[in-house]
Amino acid sequence: MPDTTEQQDNIWHQRLLGEDKQRRNDHRSPFQRDRARILHSAAFRRLQAKTQVLGVGMNDFYRTRLTHSLEVSQIGTGITAQLRRKYPEFKYLLNSMSLIESVCLAHDIGHPPFGHGGEVALNYMMRHHGGFEGNGQTFRILSRLEPYTPSWGMNLTRRTLLGIMKYPAMHSQLFIDQHKPDIANHRQLKPSDWPPVKGLFDDDKPIIDWVLSALSDNDRQLFISSEQSQVNAHYPHLKTLFKSLDCSIMELADDIAYAVHDLEDAIVMGIVNQRQWQHDVVDQLQHINDEWLTSEIASIGEKLFSHEHHLRKDAIGTLVNGFVTAISIDTNNSFEADLLKYNAQLQPDFASTLHVLKQLVFKYVIRKPEIQMLEYKGQQIIMELFEAFASDPERLLPLNTRERWLAANAENSNPMRVIADYISGMTDGFAGRLHQQLFGSKTAGILELSSEQ
Protein backbone atom coordinates (compact mmCIF):
# COMPACT_ATOMS: atom_id res chain seq x y z
CA MET A 1 0.00 0.00 0.00
CA PRO A 2 1.20 3.55 -0.66
CA ASP A 3 2.70 5.29 2.36
CA THR A 4 0.25 7.97 3.46
CA THR A 5 1.52 8.48 7.01
CA GLU A 6 1.58 11.93 8.54
CA GLN A 7 5.21 11.32 9.50
CA GLN A 8 6.23 11.06 5.83
CA ASP A 9 4.35 14.28 5.04
CA ASN A 10 6.15 16.05 7.86
CA ILE A 11 9.55 14.97 6.53
CA TRP A 12 8.83 16.41 3.08
CA HIS A 13 7.30 19.60 4.52
CA GLN A 14 10.44 20.35 6.55
CA ARG A 15 12.70 23.32 5.79
CA LEU A 16 16.44 23.35 6.44
CA LEU A 17 16.11 26.46 8.58
CA GLY A 18 13.34 26.16 11.14
CA GLU A 19 10.72 28.90 10.89
CA ASP A 20 8.35 30.38 13.43
CA LYS A 21 6.62 33.11 11.46
CA GLN A 22 3.67 34.46 13.42
CA ARG A 23 1.71 35.97 10.55
CA ARG A 24 -1.86 37.04 11.23
CA ASN A 25 -4.49 34.59 9.91
CA ASP A 26 -1.99 32.93 7.57
CA HIS A 27 -3.44 29.51 6.75
CA ARG A 28 -1.39 28.74 3.67
CA SER A 29 0.08 25.28 3.09
CA PRO A 30 3.88 24.83 3.05
CA PHE A 31 3.83 24.59 -0.76
CA GLN A 32 1.73 27.74 -1.14
CA ARG A 33 4.43 29.53 0.85
CA ASP A 34 7.08 28.07 -1.47
CA ARG A 35 5.23 29.30 -4.55
CA ALA A 36 4.93 32.81 -3.09
CA ARG A 37 8.65 32.95 -2.30
CA ILE A 38 9.55 31.95 -5.85
CA LEU A 39 7.09 34.35 -7.50
CA HIS A 40 8.29 37.30 -5.42
CA SER A 41 12.02 36.61 -5.81
CA ALA A 42 14.38 38.86 -7.76
CA ALA A 43 15.79 35.79 -9.52
CA PHE A 44 12.33 34.97 -10.91
CA ARG A 45 11.74 38.55 -12.08
CA ARG A 46 15.04 38.55 -13.96
CA LEU A 47 13.74 35.76 -16.19
CA GLN A 48 11.73 38.40 -18.05
CA ALA A 49 14.99 39.69 -19.53
CA LYS A 50 16.71 36.39 -20.25
CA THR A 51 16.77 34.62 -23.60
CA GLN A 52 14.47 31.64 -24.13
CA VAL A 53 15.19 30.72 -27.76
CA LEU A 54 14.77 33.95 -29.72
CA GLY A 55 16.79 36.82 -28.32
CA VAL A 56 15.17 39.20 -25.86
CA GLY A 57 14.47 42.48 -27.61
CA MET A 58 14.15 40.99 -31.11
CA ASN A 59 10.40 41.45 -30.76
CA ASP A 60 8.23 41.98 -27.69
CA PHE A 61 5.85 39.22 -28.82
CA TYR A 62 8.27 36.32 -28.45
CA ARG A 63 8.73 34.26 -25.35
CA THR A 64 11.29 34.95 -22.62
CA ARG A 65 12.40 32.61 -19.84
CA LEU A 66 9.69 34.19 -17.69
CA THR A 67 6.74 33.60 -20.03
CA HIS A 68 8.11 30.12 -20.76
CA SER A 69 8.17 29.34 -17.02
CA LEU A 70 4.58 30.55 -16.62
CA GLU A 71 3.51 28.29 -19.52
CA VAL A 72 5.38 25.32 -18.01
CA SER A 73 3.55 25.94 -14.73
CA GLN A 74 0.17 26.02 -16.46
CA ILE A 75 0.92 22.80 -18.36
CA GLY A 76 2.29 21.16 -15.21
CA THR A 77 -0.91 21.80 -13.27
CA GLY A 78 -2.89 20.50 -16.26
CA ILE A 79 -0.89 17.26 -16.21
CA THR A 80 -1.41 16.92 -12.46
CA ALA A 81 -5.17 17.43 -12.77
CA GLN A 82 -5.33 14.78 -15.50
CA LEU A 83 -3.34 12.29 -13.42
CA ARG A 84 -5.53 12.87 -10.36
CA ARG A 85 -8.58 12.09 -12.48
CA LYS A 86 -7.04 8.99 -14.06
CA TYR A 87 -5.46 7.66 -10.86
CA PRO A 88 -7.60 8.58 -7.84
CA GLU A 89 -5.47 6.25 -5.71
CA PHE A 90 -2.54 8.67 -6.16
CA LYS A 91 -4.35 11.78 -4.98
CA TYR A 92 -2.33 11.67 -1.74
CA LEU A 93 0.83 12.20 -3.84
CA LEU A 94 -0.73 14.74 -6.22
CA ASN A 95 -2.59 16.71 -3.57
CA SER A 96 -0.93 20.09 -4.10
CA MET A 97 -1.15 22.15 -7.26
CA SER A 98 0.99 24.76 -5.49
CA LEU A 99 3.83 22.24 -5.25
CA ILE A 100 3.82 21.54 -9.01
CA GLU A 101 3.49 25.27 -9.72
CA SER A 102 6.51 25.95 -7.49
CA VAL A 103 8.71 23.37 -9.19
CA CYS A 104 7.65 24.51 -12.68
CA LEU A 105 7.98 28.24 -11.99
CA ALA A 106 11.47 27.74 -10.55
CA HIS A 107 12.84 25.23 -13.06
CA ASP A 108 14.75 27.80 -15.19
CA ILE A 109 15.65 30.26 -12.46
CA GLY A 110 19.36 29.37 -12.58
CA HIS A 111 19.86 29.73 -16.31
CA PRO A 112 22.44 32.40 -17.16
CA PRO A 113 22.13 35.21 -19.71
CA PHE A 114 22.33 34.35 -23.43
CA GLY A 115 20.88 30.86 -23.16
CA HIS A 116 23.07 27.85 -23.92
CA GLY A 117 25.93 30.11 -25.05
CA GLY A 118 26.12 31.68 -21.59
CA GLU A 119 25.94 28.28 -19.91
CA VAL A 120 28.80 26.82 -21.96
CA ALA A 121 30.88 29.97 -21.43
CA LEU A 122 30.48 29.82 -17.65
CA ASN A 123 31.16 26.08 -17.66
CA TYR A 124 34.43 26.67 -19.52
CA MET A 125 35.51 29.46 -17.17
CA MET A 126 34.64 27.21 -14.19
CA ARG A 127 36.33 24.12 -15.69
CA HIS A 128 38.90 23.95 -12.85
CA HIS A 129 36.44 25.03 -10.14
CA GLY A 130 33.55 22.54 -10.24
CA GLY A 131 31.92 23.49 -13.55
CA PHE A 132 28.65 25.29 -14.23
CA GLU A 133 25.22 24.06 -15.33
CA GLY A 134 21.85 25.83 -15.29
CA ASN A 135 19.92 23.22 -13.31
CA GLY A 136 22.63 23.04 -10.67
CA GLN A 137 22.50 26.83 -10.41
CA THR A 138 18.72 26.69 -10.01
CA PHE A 139 19.14 24.46 -6.94
CA ARG A 140 21.83 26.81 -5.62
CA ILE A 141 19.70 29.94 -5.99
CA LEU A 142 16.72 28.32 -4.26
CA SER A 143 18.74 26.81 -1.42
CA ARG A 144 21.65 29.24 -0.94
CA LEU A 145 21.62 32.53 -2.82
CA GLU A 146 18.22 34.24 -2.99
CA PRO A 147 18.23 36.63 0.00
CA TYR A 148 14.95 35.55 1.63
CA THR A 149 17.17 34.27 4.45
CA PRO A 150 20.79 35.23 5.30
CA SER A 151 22.36 32.06 3.84
CA TRP A 152 19.71 29.41 3.08
CA GLY A 153 18.14 30.99 0.00
CA MET A 154 14.34 30.78 -0.08
CA ASN A 155 14.38 28.07 2.60
CA LEU A 156 11.94 25.93 0.61
CA THR A 157 10.45 22.64 1.71
CA ARG A 158 12.43 19.47 1.20
CA ARG A 159 9.91 18.14 -1.34
CA THR A 160 10.09 21.25 -3.52
CA LEU A 161 13.90 21.04 -3.54
CA LEU A 162 13.70 17.33 -4.42
CA GLY A 163 11.33 18.19 -7.28
CA ILE A 164 13.78 20.68 -8.78
CA MET A 165 16.60 18.09 -8.91
CA LYS A 166 16.54 17.08 -12.59
CA TYR A 167 19.97 15.47 -12.20
CA PRO A 168 20.36 14.56 -8.51
CA ALA A 169 24.07 13.59 -8.45
CA MET A 170 27.00 15.95 -7.92
CA HIS A 171 29.49 17.18 -10.54
CA SER A 172 32.36 15.08 -9.17
CA GLN A 173 30.29 11.88 -9.47
CA LEU A 174 29.39 12.55 -13.11
CA PHE A 175 32.41 14.33 -14.59
CA ILE A 176 34.66 12.38 -16.98
CA ASP A 177 37.87 14.23 -17.78
CA GLN A 178 38.48 14.36 -21.52
CA HIS A 179 41.95 15.91 -20.99
CA LYS A 180 41.13 18.67 -23.44
CA PRO A 181 43.75 21.43 -23.60
CA ASP A 182 42.60 24.93 -22.70
CA ILE A 183 41.71 27.04 -25.72
CA ALA A 184 44.25 29.66 -26.79
CA ASN A 185 41.61 32.32 -27.36
CA HIS A 186 38.01 32.69 -26.12
CA ARG A 187 36.80 33.16 -29.67
CA GLN A 188 37.80 29.58 -30.44
CA LEU A 189 35.46 28.02 -27.85
CA LYS A 190 33.18 25.38 -29.40
CA PRO A 191 30.17 24.48 -27.23
CA SER A 192 30.33 20.86 -28.40
CA ASP A 193 33.81 20.55 -26.86
CA TRP A 194 32.78 21.76 -23.40
CA PRO A 195 29.30 20.40 -22.57
CA PRO A 196 28.32 21.12 -18.96
CA VAL A 197 27.98 18.20 -16.56
CA LYS A 198 24.25 17.81 -15.94
CA GLY A 199 24.26 17.70 -12.17
CA LEU A 200 24.48 19.59 -8.88
CA PHE A 201 27.52 21.47 -7.59
CA ASP A 202 29.82 19.88 -5.02
CA ASP A 203 29.85 23.28 -3.26
CA ASP A 204 26.22 22.59 -2.26
CA LYS A 205 26.81 19.10 -0.84
CA PRO A 206 25.51 19.83 2.70
CA ILE A 207 22.11 20.95 1.38
CA ILE A 208 21.92 18.12 -1.17
CA ASP A 209 22.65 15.65 1.62
CA TRP A 210 19.91 17.22 3.76
CA VAL A 211 17.31 16.90 0.98
CA LEU A 212 18.21 13.26 0.31
CA SER A 213 18.45 12.35 4.02
CA ALA A 214 14.69 11.68 3.99
CA LEU A 215 15.33 8.65 1.75
CA SER A 216 16.50 5.21 2.79
CA ASP A 217 20.12 4.31 2.06
CA ASN A 218 19.07 2.02 -0.80
CA ASP A 219 16.82 4.67 -2.38
CA ARG A 220 19.45 7.35 -2.04
CA GLN A 221 22.16 5.28 -3.72
CA LEU A 222 19.86 4.23 -6.56
CA PHE A 223 18.50 7.76 -7.01
CA ILE A 224 21.96 9.29 -7.55
CA SER A 225 23.25 6.41 -9.71
CA SER A 226 24.40 7.19 -13.24
CA GLU A 227 25.64 5.68 -16.49
CA GLN A 228 26.96 6.70 -19.91
CA SER A 229 24.26 8.41 -21.98
CA GLN A 230 22.32 5.95 -24.13
CA VAL A 231 20.76 8.76 -26.19
CA ASN A 232 23.65 11.10 -26.99
CA ALA A 233 26.88 9.34 -27.91
CA HIS A 234 28.66 12.73 -28.11
CA TYR A 235 27.92 13.61 -24.46
CA PRO A 236 31.08 12.54 -22.61
CA HIS A 237 29.95 12.60 -18.99
CA LEU A 238 27.78 10.25 -16.93
CA LYS A 239 24.05 10.97 -16.66
CA THR A 240 21.69 10.27 -13.79
CA LEU A 241 18.86 7.82 -14.41
CA PHE A 242 16.04 8.78 -12.06
CA LYS A 243 13.82 11.68 -11.01
CA SER A 244 11.12 12.24 -8.44
CA LEU A 245 7.43 12.18 -9.42
CA ASP A 246 7.17 15.97 -9.17
CA CYS A 247 10.29 16.43 -11.32
CA SER A 248 8.96 14.01 -13.97
CA ILE A 249 5.80 16.13 -14.28
CA MET A 250 7.83 19.34 -14.51
CA GLU A 251 10.15 17.89 -17.15
CA LEU A 252 7.24 16.76 -19.34
CA ALA A 253 5.61 20.19 -18.99
CA ASP A 254 8.94 21.83 -19.92
CA ASP A 255 9.35 19.63 -23.00
CA ILE A 256 5.79 20.27 -24.15
CA ALA A 257 6.16 24.03 -23.72
CA TYR A 258 9.50 24.02 -25.54
CA ALA A 259 8.32 21.87 -28.44
CA VAL A 260 4.90 23.44 -29.00
CA HIS A 261 5.14 27.06 -27.86
CA ASP A 262 8.63 27.70 -29.24
CA LEU A 263 7.40 26.13 -32.50
CA GLU A 264 4.57 28.68 -32.46
CA ASP A 265 7.08 31.54 -32.18
CA ALA A 266 9.08 30.09 -35.06
CA ILE A 267 5.98 29.83 -37.28
CA VAL A 268 4.94 33.41 -36.51
CA MET A 269 8.45 34.63 -37.37
CA GLY A 270 8.45 32.69 -40.62
CA ILE A 271 11.42 30.58 -39.55
CA VAL A 272 9.47 27.33 -40.06
CA ASN A 273 7.21 26.89 -43.09
CA GLN A 274 4.57 24.32 -44.04
CA ARG A 275 6.88 22.43 -46.39
CA GLN A 276 9.35 21.89 -43.55
CA TRP A 277 6.49 20.81 -41.27
CA GLN A 278 5.42 18.20 -43.82
CA HIS A 279 8.95 16.85 -44.31
CA ASP A 280 10.25 17.02 -40.73
CA VAL A 281 7.08 16.15 -38.82
CA VAL A 282 4.30 14.54 -40.87
CA ASP A 283 6.62 12.32 -42.93
CA GLN A 284 8.63 11.33 -39.85
CA LEU A 285 5.54 10.18 -37.94
CA GLN A 286 3.99 7.80 -40.47
CA HIS A 287 4.81 4.85 -38.20
CA ILE A 288 2.63 5.90 -35.24
CA ASN A 289 -0.53 3.93 -34.49
CA ASP A 290 -2.62 6.24 -32.32
CA GLU A 291 -5.65 7.13 -34.47
CA TRP A 292 -6.33 10.53 -32.91
CA LEU A 293 -2.69 11.56 -33.21
CA THR A 294 -2.36 10.29 -36.78
CA SER A 295 -5.43 12.25 -37.82
CA GLU A 296 -4.35 15.46 -36.08
CA ILE A 297 -0.77 15.42 -37.37
CA ALA A 298 -2.03 14.93 -40.92
CA SER A 299 -4.48 17.84 -40.79
CA ILE A 300 -3.25 20.31 -38.19
CA GLY A 301 -0.67 21.90 -40.50
CA GLU A 302 -3.37 23.89 -42.32
CA LYS A 303 -4.35 25.56 -39.05
CA LEU A 304 -0.78 25.99 -37.77
CA PHE A 305 0.26 27.91 -40.87
CA SER A 306 -2.99 29.77 -41.37
CA HIS A 307 -2.88 33.57 -41.59
CA GLU A 308 -5.90 33.64 -39.27
CA HIS A 309 -4.39 33.85 -35.80
CA HIS A 310 -7.29 32.17 -34.01
CA LEU A 311 -6.86 29.03 -36.13
CA ARG A 312 -3.17 28.81 -35.22
CA LYS A 313 -3.96 29.30 -31.53
CA ASP A 314 -6.59 26.56 -31.76
CA ALA A 315 -4.01 24.21 -33.33
CA ILE A 316 -1.46 24.99 -30.61
CA GLY A 317 -4.08 24.35 -27.92
CA THR A 318 -5.01 21.05 -29.56
CA LEU A 319 -1.38 19.88 -29.56
CA VAL A 320 -0.82 20.82 -25.92
CA ASN A 321 -4.07 19.14 -24.88
CA GLY A 322 -3.09 16.00 -26.80
CA PHE A 323 0.17 15.67 -24.91
CA VAL A 324 -1.26 16.57 -21.49
CA THR A 325 -4.00 13.93 -21.77
CA ALA A 326 -1.59 11.20 -22.98
CA ILE A 327 0.42 10.95 -19.77
CA SER A 328 0.31 7.97 -17.43
CA ILE A 329 2.06 6.91 -14.20
CA ASP A 330 4.90 4.43 -14.49
CA THR A 331 6.00 2.29 -11.52
CA ASN A 332 9.58 1.36 -10.59
CA ASN A 333 9.47 -1.12 -7.71
CA SER A 334 13.22 -0.81 -7.15
CA PHE A 335 12.43 2.23 -4.99
CA GLU A 336 10.81 2.18 -1.55
CA ALA A 337 9.68 5.84 -1.41
CA ASP A 338 6.50 6.56 -3.37
CA LEU A 339 7.91 9.89 -4.58
CA LEU A 340 10.62 7.97 -6.44
CA LYS A 341 8.70 4.78 -7.22
CA TYR A 342 6.15 6.61 -9.39
CA ASN A 343 6.94 8.79 -12.40
CA ALA A 344 4.81 10.52 -15.05
CA GLN A 345 5.51 9.40 -18.62
CA LEU A 346 4.12 10.03 -22.10
CA GLN A 347 2.50 7.22 -24.06
CA PRO A 348 4.98 5.95 -26.71
CA ASP A 349 3.36 7.48 -29.84
CA PHE A 350 3.04 10.86 -28.13
CA ALA A 351 6.63 10.62 -26.86
CA SER A 352 7.78 10.01 -30.46
CA THR A 353 5.76 13.00 -31.66
CA LEU A 354 7.16 15.27 -28.94
CA HIS A 355 10.70 14.21 -29.85
CA VAL A 356 10.07 15.01 -33.54
CA LEU A 357 8.69 18.46 -32.64
CA LYS A 358 11.70 19.19 -30.42
CA GLN A 359 14.03 18.18 -33.24
CA LEU A 360 12.17 20.53 -35.60
CA VAL A 361 12.70 23.46 -33.22
CA PHE A 362 16.35 22.52 -32.75
CA LYS A 363 17.03 22.17 -36.48
CA TYR A 364 15.31 25.29 -37.79
CA VAL A 365 15.39 27.61 -34.77
CA ILE A 366 18.24 26.76 -32.38
CA ARG A 367 20.71 25.99 -35.18
CA LYS A 368 19.66 28.96 -37.31
CA PRO A 369 22.88 30.94 -38.07
CA GLU A 370 21.37 34.24 -36.90
CA ILE A 371 20.43 32.66 -33.55
CA GLN A 372 23.84 31.00 -33.25
CA MET A 373 25.53 34.36 -33.89
CA LEU A 374 23.63 35.91 -30.99
CA GLU A 375 24.54 32.94 -28.82
CA TYR A 376 28.19 33.20 -29.85
CA LYS A 377 28.25 36.91 -29.05
CA GLY A 378 26.74 36.25 -25.62
CA GLN A 379 29.30 33.50 -25.07
CA GLN A 380 32.13 36.00 -25.66
CA ILE A 381 30.54 38.58 -23.34
CA ILE A 382 30.25 36.09 -20.49
CA MET A 383 33.84 34.82 -20.81
CA GLU A 384 35.30 38.31 -20.96
CA LEU A 385 33.27 39.45 -17.93
CA PHE A 386 34.43 36.41 -15.97
CA GLU A 387 38.05 36.97 -16.94
CA ALA A 388 37.86 40.60 -15.85
CA PHE A 389 36.28 39.85 -12.45
CA ALA A 390 38.66 36.96 -11.79
CA SER A 391 41.67 39.16 -12.57
CA ASP A 392 40.96 41.55 -9.67
CA PRO A 393 37.79 40.64 -7.74
CA GLU A 394 38.36 43.09 -4.88
CA ARG A 395 38.55 45.95 -7.33
CA LEU A 396 35.78 45.11 -9.81
CA LEU A 397 33.06 43.13 -8.01
CA PRO A 398 30.13 45.08 -6.49
CA LEU A 399 30.19 45.44 -2.71
CA ASN A 400 27.91 42.55 -1.67
CA THR A 401 29.49 40.13 -4.13
CA ARG A 402 32.97 41.26 -3.09
CA GLU A 403 32.14 40.46 0.54
CA ARG A 404 30.98 36.97 -0.46
CA TRP A 405 34.16 36.50 -2.51
CA LEU A 406 36.37 37.58 0.41
CA ALA A 407 34.51 35.24 2.78
CA ALA A 408 34.83 32.30 0.37
CA ASN A 409 38.51 33.10 -0.13
CA ALA A 410 39.13 33.23 3.62
CA GLU A 411 37.35 29.90 4.11
CA ASN A 412 39.06 28.36 1.06
CA SER A 413 35.60 27.43 -0.25
CA ASN A 414 35.79 28.06 -3.99
CA PRO A 415 35.62 31.86 -4.42
CA MET A 416 35.31 31.40 -8.21
CA ARG A 417 31.81 30.04 -7.58
CA VAL A 418 30.90 33.49 -6.24
CA ILE A 419 31.92 35.08 -9.56
CA ALA A 420 29.86 32.48 -11.47
CA ASP A 421 26.90 33.23 -9.18
CA TYR A 422 27.15 36.95 -9.94
CA ILE A 423 27.42 36.61 -13.71
CA SER A 424 24.76 33.90 -14.04
CA GLY A 425 22.28 36.11 -12.21
CA MET A 426 22.59 38.91 -14.76
CA THR A 427 19.99 39.59 -17.42
CA ASP A 428 21.05 39.64 -21.07
CA GLY A 429 20.81 43.44 -21.19
CA PHE A 430 22.71 44.07 -17.97
CA ALA A 431 25.55 41.74 -19.01
CA GLY A 432 25.78 43.49 -22.39
CA ARG A 433 25.86 46.98 -20.84
CA LEU A 434 28.40 45.95 -18.21
CA HIS A 435 30.63 44.49 -20.93
CA GLN A 436 30.34 47.76 -22.85
CA GLN A 437 31.33 49.73 -19.76
CA LEU A 438 34.39 47.54 -19.19
CA PHE A 439 35.57 47.04 -22.75
CA GLY A 440 33.82 49.62 -24.94
CA SER A 441 35.41 52.90 -25.96
CA LYS A 442 32.68 55.10 -24.47
CA THR A 443 33.04 56.20 -20.85
CA ALA A 444 29.81 58.17 -20.46
CA GLY A 445 27.09 56.64 -18.33
CA ILE A 446 29.42 54.41 -16.34
CA LEU A 447 27.37 54.93 -13.18
CA GLU A 448 24.11 53.82 -14.77
CA LEU A 449 24.72 50.18 -13.90
CA SER A 450 25.09 50.61 -10.17
CA SER A 451 21.36 50.68 -9.49
CA GLU A 452 20.43 47.76 -11.77
CA GLN A 453 21.77 44.73 -9.90
Side-chain angles (χ1 to χ4, degrees), residues 3 38-39 60 102 172 194 227 245 255 268 331 366 368 387 404:
D3 188 352
I38 292 162
L39 273 172
D60 289 342
S102 296
S172 59
W194 298 92
E227 66 179 21
L245 172 64
D255 283 349
V268 172
T331 303
I366 307 295
K368 186 176 172 66
E387 188 175 53
R404 285 185 56 230

Side-chain angles (χ1 to χ4, degrees), residues 385 389 422 426 429-439 449:
L385 286 177
F389 291 130
Y422 176 52
M426 295 177 183
F430 182 85
R433 290 191 295 276
L434 184 55
H435 183 271
Q436 174 65 28
Q437 299 294 349
L438 282 169
F439 300 107
L449 292 156

Side-chain angles (χ1 to χ4, degrees), residues 220-243:
R220 187 161 56 248
Q221 290 307 312
L222 183 59
F223 188 52
I224 66 173
S225 62
S226 58
E227 66 179 21
Q228 206 76 45
S229 174
Q230 303 299 308
V231 179
N232 185 358
H234 300 293
Y235 180 73
H237 308 295
L238 300 178
K239 286 197 75 171
T240 56
L241 304 170
F242 304 107
K243 297 169 174 45

Side-chain angles (χ1 to χ4, degrees), residues 77-293:
T77 55
I79 292 170
T80 305
Q82 286 288 329
L83 291 176
R84 287 181 60 168
R85 194 170 291 111
K86 284 184 185 176
Y87 302 95
E89 67 273 25
F90 288 116
K91 279 189 178 178
Y92 75 100
L93 276 179
L94 302 165
N95 60 358
S96 175
M97 290 296 185
S98 296
L99 167 68
I100 296 300
E101 281 187 273
S102 296
V103 172
C104 290
L105 289 170
H107 83 283
D108 262 357
I109 221 166
H111 279 260
F114 307 115
H116 183 61
E119 184 180 45
V120 170
L122 277 174
N123 183 53
Y124 178 76
M125 301 308 286
M126 290 290 290
R127 65 196 179 280
H128 302 309
H129 309 285
F132 180 88
E133 196 266 340
N135 296 288
Q137 190 69 16
T138 291
F139 182 84
R140 185 168 170 79
I141 288 170
L142 298 177
S143 63
R144 292 285 291 273
L145 302 180
E146 183 67 27
Y148 184 84
T149 64
S151 55
W152 303 114
M154 298 185 203
N155 198 34
L156 303 178
T157 59
R158 193 194 309 260
R159 182 165 171 181
T160 298
L161 289 176
L162 181 75
I164 212 71
M165 289 181 169
K166 284 183 74 170
Y167 312 105
M170 287 184 292
H171 181 280
S172 59
Q173 299 168 277
L174 304 170
F175 176 74
I176 295 180
D177 193 350
Q178 302 295 297
H179 302 290
K180 283 190 170 68
D182 292 352
I183 57 175
N185 186 297
H186 290 164
R187 294 181 180 178
Q188 298 172 350
L189 182 72
K190 292 182 179 178
S192 58
D193 289 340
W194 298 92
V197 172
K198 294 184 180 297
L200 303 168
F201 304 142
D202 289 65
D203 299 306
D204 301 321
K205 184 179 186 299
I207 304 174
I208 297 165
D209 288 345
W210 175 79
V211 174
L212 301 183
S213 66
L215 304 172
S216 68
D217 289 343
N218 288 337
D219 274 5
R220 187 161 56 248
Q221 290 307 312
L222 183 59
F223 188 52
I224 66 173
S225 62
S226 58
E227 66 179 21
Q228 206 76 45
S229 174
Q230 303 299 308
V231 179
N232 185 358
H234 300 293
Y235 180 73
H237 308 295
L238 300 178
K239 286 197 75 171
T240 56
L241 304 170
F242 304 107
K243 297 169 174 45
S244 69
L245 172 64
D246 306 323
C247 187
S248 70
I249 293 172
M250 174 267 283
E251 190 166 48
L252 281 172
D254 188 20
D255 283 349
I256 292 167
Y258 167 80
V260 180
H261 291 307
D262 290 348
L263 170 65
E264 180 185 11
D265 281 357
I267 291 171
V268 172
M269 277 193 78
I271 294 173
V272 173
N273 61 42
Q274 197 161 357
R275 178 184 54 79
Q276 292 162 333
W277 168 267
Q278 178 67 37
H279 179 268
D280 289 84
V281 177
V282 179
D283 293 351
Q284 301 300 317
L285 291 173
Q286 292 180 357
H287 65 283
I288 60 176
N289 298 313
D290 186 274
E291 291 183 9
W292 181 88
L293 194 52

Side-chain angles (χ1 to χ4, degrees), residues 278-328:
Q278 178 67 37
H279 179 268
D280 289 84
V281 177
V282 179
D283 293 351
Q284 301 300 317
L285 291 173
Q286 292 180 357
H287 65 283
I288 60 176
N289 298 313
D290 186 274
E291 291 183 9
W292 181 88
L293 194 52
T294 302
S295 172
E296 285 297 330
I297 292 297
S299 63
I300 205 168
E302 293 301 321
K303 287 185 176 180
L304 275 177
F305 294 92
S306 170
H307 293 297
E308 297 187 57
H309 297 330
H310 70 279
L311 292 177
R312 187 180 63 248
K313 295 304 293 186
D314 180 60
I316 292 296
T318 297
L319 281 174
V320 172
N321 173 261
F323 289 121
V324 167
T325 55
I327 293 171
S328 56

